[in-house]
Amino acid sequence: MSSPIPESGKTRRPPPGDGADAAHGPDLDRYDIAILAELQRDARLSNAELASRIGLSAAPTWRRVKWLEEQGYITGYRAEIDRRRIGLGVLAFVRVDTERASGAAMRELEAAIRALPEVVACHYVSGSGTFELQVMATDLDAYAHFSVDTLLNLPNVKDIHTRFSLGEVKAGGALPLAHLRARRG
């Protein structure tokens, strides 16, 4: 007897097929890890090419990709753009010192930071400061205006400290997956 299919017509777990396609458990297996590795290298792969690279047929590969998306392992697909080619010559690392206020004040600051397109990454950090931002600007003058007119005027900001990238050694790298393979073994 087969398991019921959800009303959407999509199965959450691949039905048994060619052996590697059996019902999916909660953990990633070698095919899932291979899919993640291949899509990090080239997210534009066709399903047929992806299937060929990982050693499965197209249907179970497609179901696995859908499962990885549904489970939140794959959160999106995007093009990598050379920032310099589009006129963003400055990459700044900005430590933001905040007034230690209420949780509501911190959430307000987080929301304000998320709304700034110039901020391409933001992390809570340990040590001095509260946040570490990565900010892109066309040039130093544009960054100076942004820092004075925008960053220093965000809610709960006490001070900012900026360092500039003098050159990228590595950026936009794929996430390491070796620990997933080791955990399985």
Side-chain angles (χ1 to χ4, degrees):
M1 179 170 200
S2 65
S3 60
I5 298 176
E7 289 182 25
S8 70
K10 295 180 182 176
T11 57
R12 290 187 65 69
R13 293 184 178 163
D18 59 10
D21 183 32
H24 206 294
D27 296 327
L28 299 178
D29 65 17
R30 68 183 175 109
Y31 293 104
D32 299 321
I33 296 167
I35 288 169
L36 294 174
E38 291 297 332
L39 289 178
Q40 280 193 117
R41 277 192 277 283
D42 184 359
R44 292 179 50 170
L45 288 173
S46 69
N47 186 62
E49 178 62 25
L50 177 60
S52 172
R53 290 186 184 190
I54 68 164
L56 282 178
S57 60
T61 299
W62 181 84
R63 286 191 295 267
R64 284 172 176 273
V65 169
K66 290 299 169 201
W67 183 86
L68 290 165
E69 292 170 349
E70 290 168 2
Q71 299 303 309
Y73 290 100
I74 298 173
T75 59
Y77 302 86
R78 64 182 66 65
E80 288 185 29
I81 299 171
D82 184 329
R83 66 179 174 83
R84 289 173 208 82
R85 297 278 303 181
I86 61 168
L88 296 172
V90 170
L91 171 58
F93 300 93
V94 184
R95 187 183 79 212
V96 176
D97 296 332
T98 63
E99 299 291 343
R100 299 286 176 189
S102 67
M106 293 305 288
R107 285 188 291 283
E108 182 183 6
L109 175 57
E110 290 171 10
I113 290 170
R114 279 189 205 97
L116 299 172
E118 296 87 352
V119 178
V120 297
C122 174
H123 298 270
Y124 270 119
V125 294
S126 62
S128 61
T130 306
F131 295 105
E132 183 81 17
L133 312 179
Q134 290 181 24
V135 176
M136 292 198 184
T138 54
D139 55 32
L140 289 175
D141 288 337
Y143 175 78
H145 290 294
F146 176 75
S147 66
V148 170
D149 298 340
T150 303
L151 290 180
L152 285 172
N153 291 310
L154 292 175
N156 204 33
V157 170
K158 181 170 59 172
D159 199 5
I160 63 172
H161 307 272
T162 303
R163 296 166 299 149
F164 293 101
S165 171
L166 300 178
E168 286 177 2
V169 175
K170 181 178 181 180
L175 298 177
L177 302 176
H179 68 287
L180 296 174
R181 289 183 191 96
R183 198 171 29 168
R184 290 186 52 250

